[in-house]
Amino acid sequence: MNLMIKEKTVIWGREFELEIKYDCYADEKILDNQRNALKFFLKSESDIANSLEKVKAYCLAQNKADIMEEKISNIFKYVMPQYLFIVRSADKRIVSIMCNYKFDQENGIAIVFENEKFYKIGKQEIIL
């Protein structure tokens, strides 16, 4: 689906206007559940904010030697949200914050939320 939809949202204390990409082929309609997934996700600012510590832990676990600090003070030096990816699912609301990652430019990282709760984090291939 090539609609260029953008939404404003706050991620880890910073406002972003991110493109929304739906897991949907050209001949498919966006599911109501996908629309609900986005709507509820955008209202779940506290759940998004609470994922920050998990993202910091992931970065330190993957690239501690490169980070050069014991505790990450500014996550945006390493992780930058690029767009929201809405998974095609009839029963679960799955939204992923797709990010560039300083230490893996090729794969980036995905921060996945299921029913508005943090679910997992990893290379973008875990969700695409």
Side-chain angles (χ1 to χ4, degrees), residues 69-83:
E69 56 183 330
E70 282 298 309
K71 197 169 161 91
I72 295 174
S73 56
N74 179 4
I75 193 64
F76 299 113
K77 289 196 299 192
Y78 311 111
V79 178
M80 187 57 65
Q82 295 299 302
Y83 65 95

Side-chain angles (χ1 to χ4, degrees), residues 22-76:
Y22 290 93
D23 183 9
C24 196
Y25 290 110
D27 63 340
E28 294 177 318
K29 289 192 183 303
I30 296 168
L31 300 175
D32 285 342
N33 198 50
Q34 286 176 290
R35 292 181 200 283
N36 286 335
L38 176 62
K39 181 172 73 174
F40 292 133
F41 178 79
L42 293 174
K43 291 179 181 175
S44 63
E45 285 187 24
S46 65
D47 291 299
I48 296 168
N50 291 339
S51 71
L52 176 58
E53 291 309 313
K54 292 173 179 70
V55 175
K56 287 180 178 182
Y58 175 88
C59 294
L60 288 169
Q62 299 297 312
N63 299 94
K64 189 166 181 63
D66 300 313
I67 289 175
M68 308 280 195
E69 56 183 330
E70 282 298 309
K71 197 169 161 91
I72 295 174
S73 56
N74 179 4
I75 193 64
F76 299 113

